[in-house]
Amino acid sequence: MALISTNQDCRKCYACVRACPVKTISISDGIPEIIEEGCLGCGQCVLACSIGAKIVHDDTPKVQRWILEGQKVAAIVAPSYPASFDWTAGQLISSLRYLGFSTVQEVAYGAAICAKEYGKLFQEQQDKTIISTACPAVVQLVEKHMPSLTKYLAPIDSPMLIQAKLVKLAYPDHKIVFIGPCLAKKYEAVDINTRGYVDAVITFKQLNCWFNQREIPWEELPEGQWDNPRPELARTFPISGGLLKTSGVVEDVATMDIVVVETPRRCIEVLRAIESGEFTPRFVDMLVCEGCVMGPGMISDKPYMVRATKVANTVKAENNTGGDKITGVLPKLDVKRKFTARPVLKKTFSDEEVWRMLKETGKQTPKDLINCSACGYDTCWEKAVACLQGVAEKEMCLPYLLRQIPSLTKSLMDMSNKLMLSMESINFSTLTLKGTTSRINCKNQHLEELIKETNIIAKNTMELADTVLTMVSQYQLSVSGQESAKLSLTNGELEEIRRIADQSREQAEKTTAAFEEIANILNNLREDSVVILEQEKPSRLSLIH
């Protein structure tokens, strides 16, 4: 499953690379793509992308199809919903039933059971660090990037999994859909150790899109009721320290044995300290987000305290039916889970190889490593390693690109000068072409006149020869008819005239043939010039434009 993808709106700003806590984004031709094997599902890249070029996998069409097909579908809703929607719990419940969900339950009830399990584990396990596993992004972080710490992960299901297992036991014929602010839950639903309980995951943002499609008549809906027992204090789970508050484990700032750790960077820092042995707490309540109320699937733009207050205000709400079906299956519930180390293997490089890459971007000495983070990486060294690993490009370095500006400017000036010369040449060619065109047109007119004159000469010559021969023939007829001849010619003179007439006709025929050939040549020449003009017309137009 491609959890997060990048669309064509991407502006190549590398904000997603900067936001990714584990740098599991590969850049190819400037376009960032998530490396699924290393992704935490934390959604920090989605939050960092201001133009919405990061697209989150959406199960909504699948859920809609189930409902249309008549399948029974259960909605289990994360307790952070008050921070995302301005409606009452009853309105949200009724709207989900309006969409077609058969049963609607709050994951806060599963959180209550989860908290009790942590309280037990904390009392039983005194000599070993416990890292909470309610946050699936934390689990991904440890399993993929710090696999040696897998042994410290609390072997307890998350609230989502606990609620899903309860619903699966109570409603075995239902599909189960988790609705919440977390993208990493989509990984947890299909994880090899936890799959088979949650059939689909949609975020609050995706649910809101569905609401807008259906145009929910909010004012007409009655106040709905959750189909689960009241979870009470567990509704504070999405607030910072909510797990500790619900489980009864008290954070101890004086000894630092019990701590709450939030945000990706802080989580990584603490995990590294535990890995190195520099920090050995008893219990770490760890969340990649600053509480679930700040998850990437939320639709609120309010600050943390406003969101947290909205969640806290629901703690005492009484809108539960009792949930006998849920309480009836509690004895069958198993909340234990396993973890699998899945280390992301990255090729390492010698200092010499890294420096060779650094020098390609103009960094010759340690003083040149300015670590501006414009490329998305914290240090120049880290970015050079990423280039060697094939997930970054040297052109991502802003100082390197800025240093190229003078040479680029010079190249542009050279190109500009060449372009000016080319334009002058084109203008000269245009003027020459116009002159040539004018001359060709004149020659065409002259050729047409020559062809006419040639035809006239040939015609006249033929007519003259015919006239002479006719005269000779008439004269001979007159003599043979004993008519008086008007001309006194001897036989010898008559023969001479006939000979001249024959020669004239023969010459006229040759002249006519020659003139016809000349006319054909001139006509072909005229046609060729017309073709040339037609062929050059597009060129002239393009030069003009």
Side-chain angles (χ1 to χ4, degrees), residues 29 88 119-120 178 199 241 291 325 352 391 443 495 516 525:
D29 294 328
T88 65
K120 293 178 184 178
F178 172 79
D199 299 293
K325 280 192 174 184
E352 182 181 355
V391 298
K443 288 182 178 180
E495 286 298 324
E516 288 178 353
L525 181 59

Side-chain angles (χ1 to χ4, degrees), residues 138-196:
V138 170
V139 175
Q140 296 288 320
L141 176 58
V142 173
E143 288 185 334
K144 293 179 177 180
H145 299 277
M146 298 183 187
S148 64
L149 301 180
T150 302
K151 59 187 177 183
Y152 297 126
L153 293 175
I156 300 171
D157 280 329
S158 69
M160 178 190 80
L161 289 171
I162 293 174
Q163 193 66 37
K165 286 183 176 182
L166 287 171
V167 174
K168 211 73 167 177
L169 290 169
Y171 304 84
D173 58 342
H174 280 54
K175 295 283 189 181
I176 299 175
V177 180
F178 172 79
I179 303 172
C182 182
L183 308 189
K185 291 294 186 185
K186 293 177 182 280
Y187 279 150
E188 188 174 57
V190 297
D191 186 277
I192 190 172
N193 294 311
T194 54
R195 63 190 178 194

Side-chain angles (χ1 to χ4, degrees), residues 26-75:
S26 176
I27 304 296
S28 179
D29 294 328
I31 300 297
E33 290 296 341
I34 308 299
I35 303 173
E36 203 73 27
E37 292 77 13
C39 181
L40 308 183
C42 64
Q44 296 302 305
C45 59
V46 178
L47 293 173
C49 186
S50 60
I51 62 170
K54 288 289 182 288
I55 307 302
V56 179
H57 176 79
D58 191 358
D59 281 337
T60 303
K62 179 169 63 175
V63 178
Q64 291 171 333
R65 186 173 65 253
W66 290 339
I67 293 173
L68 286 174
E69 291 172 351
Q71 296 191 56
K72 294 181 178 180
V73 184

